[in-house]
Coordinates of all heavy atoms in Angstrom, one line a residue:
M1 N 0.8 -1.2 0.0 CA 0.0 0.0 0.0 C 0.9 1.2 0.0 O 1.9 1.3 0.7 CB -0.9 0.0 1.2 CG -1.7 1.2 1.3 SD -3.0 1.3 2.3 CE -3.4 1.1 3.6
T2 N 0.6 2.2 -0.8 CA 1.3 3.5 -0.9 C 0.5 4.6 -0.5 O -0.7 4.7 -0.8 CB 1.9 3.7 -2.3 OG1 0.8 3.8 -3.2 CG2 2.9 2.6 -2.7
A3 N 1.1 5.5 0.2 CA 0.3 6.7 0.7 C 0.6 7.8 -0.4 O 1.7 7.9 -0.9 CB 0.8 7.2 2.0
T4 N -0.4 8.6 -0.6 CA -0.2 9.7 -1.6 C -0.6 11.0 -0.8 O -1.4 11.0 0.1 CB -1.2 9.6 -2.8 OG1 -2.5 9.5 -2.4 CG2 -0.8 8.4 -3.6
S5 N 0.1 12.1 -1.2 CA -0.2 13.4 -0.6 C -1.3 14.0 -1.3 O -1.5 13.9 -2.5 CB 1.1 14.3 -0.8 OG 2.2 13.7 -0.1
P6 N -2.2 14.7 -0.5 CA -3.3 15.4 -1.2 C -2.7 16.5 -2.0 O -1.6 17.0 -1.8 CB -4.0 16.0 0.0 CG -3.1 16.0 1.1 CD -2.1 14.9 0.9
P7 N -3.4 16.9 -3.1 CA -2.9 18.0 -4.0 C -2.8 19.3 -3.2 O -3.5 19.5 -2.2 CB -3.9 18.0 -5.1 CG -5.1 17.4 -4.5 CD -4.7 16.4 -3.5
G8 N -2.0 20.2 -3.7 CA -1.9 21.5 -3.1 C -3.2 22.3 -3.5 O -4.0 21.9 -4.3
P9 N -3.3 23.5 -2.8 CA -4.4 24.3 -3.1 C -4.5 24.8 -4.5 O -3.5 24.9 -5.2 CB -4.2 25.6 -2.2 CG -3.2 25.1 -1.2 CD -2.4 24.0 -1.8
A10 N -5.7 25.1 -5.0 CA -5.9 25.7 -6.3 C -5.5 27.2 -6.2 O -6.3 28.0 -5.9 CB -7.3 25.5 -6.8
D11 N -4.2 27.4 -6.4 CA -3.7 28.8 -6.2 C -2.6 29.0 -7.2 O -2.0 28.0 -7.8 CB -3.1 28.9 -4.8 CG -2.8 30.3 -4.3 OD1 -3.2 31.2 -5.0 OD2 -2.1 30.4 -3.3
Q12 N -2.3 30.2 -7.5 CA -1.2 30.6 -8.5 C 0.0 31.1 -7.8 O -0.1 32.3 -7.3 CB -1.8 31.5 -9.5 CG -2.9 30.9 -10.3 CD -3.5 31.9 -11.4 OE1 -3.0 33.0 -11.5 NE2 -4.4 31.4 -12.1
P13 N 1.1 30.4 -7.7 CA 2.2 30.9 -6.9 C 2.7 32.2 -7.4 O 3.2 33.0 -6.5 CB 3.3 29.8 -7.2 CG 2.5 28.5 -7.4 CD 1.2 29.0 -8.2
E14 N 2.6 32.6 -8.6 CA 3.2 33.9 -9.1 C 2.5 35.1 -8.4 O 3.0 36.2 -8.4 CB 3.1 34.0 -10.6 CG 1.8 33.8 -11.2 CD 1.4 32.3 -11.5 OE1 2.2 31.4 -11.3 OE2 0.3 32.1 -12.0
R15 N 1.3 34.9 -7.8 CA 0.6 36.0 -7.1 C 1.4 36.5 -5.9 O 1.1 37.5 -5.4 CB -0.8 35.6 -6.7 CG -0.8 34.7 -5.5 CD -2.2 34.3 -5.0 NE -3.3 35.0 -5.6 CZ -4.5 34.6 -5.8 NH1 -4.8 33.4 -5.5 NH2 -5.4 35.4 -6.3
Y16 N 2.4 35.7 -5.4 CA 3.1 36.0 -4.2 C 4.4 36.9 -4.5 O 5.0 37.5 -3.6 CB 3.5 34.8 -3.4 CG 2.3 34.0 -3.0 CD1 1.9 32.9 -3.7 CD2 1.6 34.4 -1.8 CE1 0.7 32.2 -3.3 CE2 0.5 33.7 -1.4 CZ 0.1 32.6 -2.2 OH -1.1 31.9 -1.8
V17 N 4.8 36.9 -5.8 CA 6.0 37.6 -6.2 C 5.8 39.1 -5.9 O 4.8 39.7 -6.3 CB 6.3 37.4 -7.7 CG1 7.5 38.2 -8.1 CG2 6.6 35.9 -7.9
G18 N 6.8 39.7 -5.2 CA 6.8 41.1 -4.9 C 6.3 41.4 -3.5 O 6.5 42.5 -3.0
L19 N 5.6 40.4 -2.9 CA 5.1 40.6 -1.5 C 6.3 40.5 -0.5 O 7.2 39.8 -0.7 CB 4.1 39.6 -1.1 CG 2.8 39.6 -1.9 CD1 1.9 38.5 -1.5 CD2 2.1 40.9 -1.8
E20 N 6.1 41.2 0.7 CA 7.0 41.0 1.8 C 6.8 39.5 2.3 O 5.7 39.0 2.2 CB 6.7 41.9 2.9 CG 7.1 43.3 2.6 CD 6.9 44.3 3.8 OE1 6.3 43.9 4.8 OE2 7.4 45.4 3.7
T21 N 7.9 38.9 2.7 CA 7.8 37.5 3.1 C 6.7 37.2 4.1 O 6.0 36.2 3.9 CB 9.2 37.1 3.7 OG1 10.2 37.4 2.8 CG2 9.2 35.6 4.0
G22 N 6.6 38.0 5.2 CA 5.6 37.7 6.2 C 4.2 37.8 5.6 O 3.3 36.9 5.9
E23 N 3.9 38.7 4.7 CA 2.6 38.9 4.1 C 2.3 37.7 3.2 O 1.2 37.1 3.1 CB 2.5 40.2 3.4 CG 1.1 40.4 2.7 CD -0.1 40.4 3.6 OE1 0.1 40.6 4.8 OE2 -1.2 40.1 3.1
A24 N 3.3 37.3 2.4 CA 3.2 36.2 1.5 C 2.9 34.9 2.3 O 2.0 34.1 1.9 CB 4.5 36.0 0.7
E25 N 3.5 34.7 3.4 CA 3.3 33.5 4.2 C 1.9 33.5 4.8 O 1.2 32.5 4.8 CB 4.3 33.4 5.3 CG 5.7 33.0 4.8 CD 6.8 33.0 5.8 OE1 6.5 33.5 7.0 OE2 7.9 32.7 5.5
R26 N 1.4 34.7 5.3 CA 0.1 34.8 5.8 C -1.0 34.4 4.7 O -1.9 33.7 5.0 CB -0.2 36.2 6.4 CG 0.4 36.4 7.8 CD -0.1 37.7 8.3 NE 0.6 38.9 7.7 CZ 1.8 39.3 7.9 NH1 2.6 38.7 8.8 NH2 2.3 40.3 7.3
Q27 N -0.8 35.0 3.6 CA -1.7 34.8 2.5 C -1.7 33.3 2.1 O -2.8 32.7 1.8 CB -1.4 35.6 1.3 CG -1.8 37.1 1.5 CD -1.6 37.9 0.2 OE1 -1.7 37.4 -0.9 NE2 -1.4 39.2 0.4
A28 N -0.5 32.7 2.0 CA -0.4 31.3 1.6 C -1.1 30.4 2.6 O -1.8 29.5 2.2 CB 1.1 30.9 1.4
R29 N -0.9 30.6 3.8 CA -1.6 29.8 4.8 C -3.1 29.9 4.8 O -3.8 29.0 4.9 CB -1.0 30.1 6.2 CG 0.4 29.6 6.4 CD 0.7 29.3 7.8 NE 2.2 29.1 8.0 CZ 2.7 27.9 7.7 NH1 2.0 26.9 7.2 NH2 4.0 27.7 7.8
S30 N -3.5 31.2 4.6 CA -5.0 31.4 4.5 C -5.6 30.7 3.3 O -6.8 30.4 3.2 CB -5.3 32.9 4.5 OG -5.0 33.5 3.3
R31 N -4.8 30.5 2.2 CA -5.3 29.8 1.0 C -5.1 28.3 1.1 O -5.3 27.6 0.1 CB -4.6 30.4 -0.2 CG -5.0 31.9 -0.4 CD -4.4 32.4 -1.7 NE -4.8 33.8 -1.9 CZ -4.1 34.8 -2.0 NH1 -2.7 34.7 -1.9 NH2 -4.6 36.0 -2.2
G32 N -4.6 27.8 2.2 CA -4.5 26.3 2.3 C -3.2 25.7 2.2 O -3.1 24.4 2.2
W33 N -2.1 26.4 1.9 CA -0.8 25.8 1.8 C -0.4 25.3 3.2 O -0.4 26.0 4.2 CB 0.3 26.8 1.3 CG 0.0 27.2 -0.1 CD1 -0.6 28.3 -0.6 CD2 0.3 26.4 -1.3 NE1 -0.7 28.3 -1.9 CE2 -0.1 27.1 -2.4 CE3 0.9 25.2 -1.5 CZ2 0.1 26.7 -3.7 CZ3 1.1 24.7 -2.8 CH2 0.6 25.5 -3.9
R34 N 0.0 24.0 3.2 CA 0.4 23.4 4.5 C 1.9 23.5 4.8 O 2.2 23.6 6.0 CB 0.1 21.9 4.4 CG -1.4 21.6 4.3 CD -1.7 20.1 4.1 NE -1.1 19.6 2.9 CZ -0.2 18.6 2.7 NH1 0.2 18.0 3.8 NH2 0.3 18.3 1.6
I35 N 2.7 23.6 3.8 CA 4.2 23.7 4.1 C 4.7 24.9 3.3 O 4.5 25.0 2.1 CB 4.9 22.4 3.6 CG1 4.3 21.2 4.3 CG2 6.4 22.5 3.9 CD1 4.7 19.9 3.7
L36 N 5.4 25.7 3.9 CA 6.1 26.9 3.3 C 7.6 26.8 3.4 O 8.0 26.4 4.5 CB 5.6 28.2 3.9 CG 4.0 28.4 3.8 CD1 3.7 29.7 4.5 CD2 3.6 28.5 2.4
R37 N 8.3 27.1 2.4 CA 9.7 27.0 2.5 C 10.3 28.3 1.8 O 10.0 28.6 0.7 CB 10.3 25.8 1.8 CG 11.8 25.7 1.7 CD 12.3 24.4 1.2 NE 11.9 24.1 -0.1 CZ 12.4 23.0 -0.8 NH1 13.2 22.1 -0.2 NH2 12.0 22.8 -2.0
S38 N 11.1 29.1 2.6 CA 11.7 30.3 2.1 C 13.2 30.0 1.9 O 13.8 29.5 2.9 CB 11.5 31.5 3.0 OG 10.1 31.8 3.0
V39 N 13.8 30.4 0.8 CA 15.2 30.1 0.5 C 15.8 31.4 -0.1 O 15.1 32.1 -0.9 CB 15.4 28.9 -0.4 CG1 14.9 27.6 0.3 CG2 14.7 29.1 -1.7
P40 N 17.1 31.6 0.1 CA 17.7 32.7 -0.6 C 18.0 32.4 -2.1 O 18.0 31.2 -2.4 CB 19.0 32.9 0.2 CG 19.3 31.6 0.8 CD 18.0 31.0 1.0
P41 N 18.2 33.4 -2.9 CA 18.5 33.1 -4.3 C 19.7 32.2 -4.5 O 20.7 32.4 -3.8 CB 18.8 34.5 -4.9 CG 18.1 35.4 -4.0 CD 18.1 34.8 -2.7
G42 N 19.6 31.2 -5.4 CA 20.7 30.3 -5.6 C 20.9 29.2 -4.6 O 21.9 28.4 -4.7
A43 N 20.1 29.1 -3.6 CA 20.2 28.1 -2.6 C 20.0 26.7 -3.2 O 19.1 26.6 -4.1 CB 19.3 28.3 -1.4
M44 N 20.7 25.8 -2.7 CA 20.5 24.4 -3.1 C 19.3 23.8 -2.3 O 19.3 24.0 -1.0 CB 21.7 23.5 -2.8 CG 22.8 24.0 -3.8 SD 24.4 23.1 -3.5 CE 23.9 21.4 -3.6
V45 N 18.3 23.3 -2.9 CA 17.1 22.7 -2.3 C 16.9 21.3 -2.8 O 17.3 21.0 -3.9 CB 15.9 23.6 -2.5 CG1 16.0 24.9 -1.8 CG2 15.5 23.7 -3.9
T46 N 16.2 20.5 -2.1 CA 15.8 19.2 -2.5 C 14.9 19.3 -3.7 O 14.1 20.2 -3.8 CB 15.2 18.3 -1.4 OG1 14.0 18.9 -1.0 CG2 16.1 18.2 -0.2
M47 N 14.9 18.3 -4.6 CA 14.0 18.3 -5.7 C 12.8 17.5 -5.5 O 12.0 17.2 -6.4 CB 14.8 17.9 -7.0 CG 15.9 18.9 -7.4 SD 15.4 20.6 -7.6 CE 14.4 20.4 -9.1
E48 N 12.6 17.0 -4.3 CA 11.5 16.1 -4.0 C 10.2 17.0 -4.1 O 10.1 18.0 -3.5 CB 11.6 15.6 -2.6 CG 10.4 14.8 -2.1 CD 10.4 14.5 -0.6 OE1 11.4 14.9 0.1 OE2 9.5 13.8 -0.2
F49 N 9.3 16.5 -4.9 CA 8.0 17.3 -5.1 C 7.0 16.9 -4.0 O 6.7 15.8 -3.8 CB 7.4 16.9 -6.5 CG 6.2 17.7 -6.8 CD1 6.3 19.0 -7.3 CD2 4.9 17.2 -6.5 CE1 5.1 19.7 -7.6 CE2 3.8 18.0 -6.8 CZ 3.9 19.2 -7.3
R50 N 6.6 18.0 -3.4 CA 5.5 17.8 -2.3 C 4.4 18.7 -2.7 O 4.5 19.9 -2.6 CB 6.1 18.2 -1.0 CG 7.3 17.3 -0.6 CD 7.8 17.4 0.7 NE 6.7 16.9 1.7 CZ 6.9 17.0 3.0 NH1 8.0 17.5 3.5 NH2 5.9 16.6 3.8
P51 N 3.2 18.1 -3.0 CA 2.1 18.9 -3.5 C 1.6 20.0 -2.6 O 1.2 21.0 -3.1 CB 1.0 17.9 -3.7 CG 1.7 16.6 -3.9 CD 3.0 16.7 -3.0
G52 N 1.7 19.8 -1.3 CA 1.2 20.9 -0.4 C 2.2 21.9 0.0 O 2.0 22.6 1.0
R53 N 3.3 21.9 -0.7 CA 4.4 22.8 -0.3 C 4.5 24.0 -1.3 O 4.5 23.8 -2.5 CB 5.8 22.1 -0.2 CG 6.9 23.0 0.1 CD 8.2 22.3 0.4 NE 8.7 21.5 -0.8 CZ 9.6 20.6 -0.7 NH1 10.1 20.2 0.5 NH2 9.9 19.9 -1.8
L54 N 4.7 25.2 -0.7 CA 4.9 26.4 -1.6 C 6.3 26.9 -1.2 O 6.6 27.1 0.0 CB 3.8 27.4 -1.3 CG 3.9 28.7 -2.1 CD1 3.7 28.4 -3.6 CD2 2.8 29.7 -1.7
N55 N 7.1 27.1 -2.2 CA 8.5 27.6 -2.1 C 8.6 29.0 -2.4 O 8.0 29.5 -3.5 CB 9.4 26.8 -3.0 CG 9.4 25.3 -2.7 OD1 9.9 24.9 -1.7 ND2 8.7 24.6 -3.5
F56 N 9.3 29.8 -1.6 CA 9.5 31.2 -1.9 C 11.0 31.4 -2.0 O 11.8 31.0 -1.2 CB 9.1 32.1 -0.8 CG 7.6 32.1 -0.6 CD1 7.0 32.1 0.7 CD2 6.7 32.2 -1.6 CE1 5.7 32.1 0.9 CE2 5.3 32.3 -1.4 CZ 4.8 32.2 -0.1
E57 N 11.5 32.0 -3.1 CA 12.8 32.5 -3.2 C 12.8 34.0 -2.7 O 12.1 34.8 -3.3 CB 13.3 32.5 -4.6 CG 14.8 32.9 -4.8 CD 15.2 32.8 -6.2 OE1 15.6 31.7 -6.6 OE2 15.2 33.9 -6.9
V58 N 13.5 34.3 -1.6 CA 13.4 35.5 -1.0 C 14.7 36.3 -1.0 O 15.8 35.7 -0.7 CB 12.9 35.3 0.5 CG1 12.9 36.6 1.3 CG2 11.6 34.6 0.6
E59 N 14.6 37.6 -1.3 CA 15.8 38.4 -1.2 C 15.3 39.8 -0.7 O 14.3 40.3 -1.1 CB 16.4 38.6 -2.6 CG 17.7 39.4 -2.6 CD 18.4 39.4 -3.9 OE1 17.7 39.5 -5.0 OE2 19.6 39.4 -3.9
A60 N 16.1 40.3 0.3 CA 15.7 41.6 1.0 C 14.3 41.6 1.5 O 13.6 42.6 1.3 CB 16.0 42.7 0.1
D61 N 13.8 40.5 2.1 CA 12.5 40.3 2.7 C 11.4 40.4 1.7 O 10.2 40.8 2.0 CB 12.3 41.2 3.8 CG 11.1 40.8 4.7 OD1 11.0 39.5 4.9 OD2 10.4 41.6 5.2
R62 N 11.6 40.2 0.4 CA 10.6 40.2 -0.7 C 10.7 38.9 -1.5 O 11.8 38.4 -1.7 CB 10.8 41.3 -1.7 CG 10.6 42.7 -1.1 CD 9.3 43.3 -1.6 NE 9.1 44.5 -0.9 CZ 8.0 45.0 -0.5 NH1 6.9 44.3 -0.8 NH2 7.8 46.1 0.1
V63 N 9.5 38.4 -1.8 CA 9.5 37.1 -2.7 C 9.8 37.5 -4.1 O 9.2 38.3 -4.7 CB 8.0 36.5 -2.6 CG1 8.0 35.3 -3.5 CG2 7.7 36.1 -1.2
K64 N 10.9 36.9 -4.6 CA 11.3 37.1 -6.0 C 10.7 36.1 -6.9 O 10.6 36.3 -8.1 CB 12.9 37.0 -6.1 CG 13.6 38.2 -5.4 CD 15.1 38.1 -5.6 CE 15.3 38.2 -7.1 NZ 16.8 38.2 -7.4
R65 N 10.5 34.9 -6.4 CA 10.0 33.8 -7.2 C 9.2 32.8 -6.2 O 9.5 32.7 -5.1 CB 11.1 33.0 -7.8 CG 10.8 31.9 -8.6 CD 12.1 31.3 -9.3 NE 11.8 29.9 -9.7 CZ 12.5 28.9 -9.3 NH1 13.5 29.0 -8.5 NH2 12.2 27.7 -9.7
A66 N 8.1 32.2 -6.8 CA 7.4 31.3 -6.0 C 7.0 30.1 -6.9 O 6.7 30.3 -8.0 CB 6.1 31.9 -5.4
W67 N 7.0 28.9 -6.3 CA 6.6 27.7 -7.0 C 6.1 26.6 -6.1 O 6.5 26.6 -4.9 CB 7.8 27.2 -7.9 CG 9.0 26.6 -7.2 CD1 9.2 25.3 -6.9 CD2 10.0 27.3 -6.5 NE1 10.4 25.1 -6.2 CE2 10.9 26.3 -6.0 CE3 10.3 28.7 -6.4 CZ2 12.0 26.7 -5.3 CZ3 11.5 29.0 -5.7 CH2 12.3 28.0 -5.1
Q68 N 5.3 25.7 -6.6 CA 4.7 24.6 -5.9 C 5.7 23.5 -5.9 O 6.4 23.2 -6.8 CB 3.4 24.2 -6.5 CG 2.8 23.1 -5.7 CD 1.4 22.6 -6.3 OE1 1.0 23.2 -7.3 NE2 0.8 21.7 -5.7
G69 N 5.7 22.7 -4.8 CA 6.4 21.5 -4.7 C 7.5 21.5 -3.7 O 8.2 20.7 -3.3

């Protein structure tokens, strides 16, 4: 038997680009994202896809890029 993760929220990650990190996290949680990960530009991250995770690339406390997984 294999367990599967529920899909992530029906949301568009690009809507978070330009927001301050704290505001982006608040909005993401209110829209149903279960796991949030903030990383600096160029950081090495695992490539494991997790449907309920939203990733933020953050520089100077602003989201530069956002993607699911």
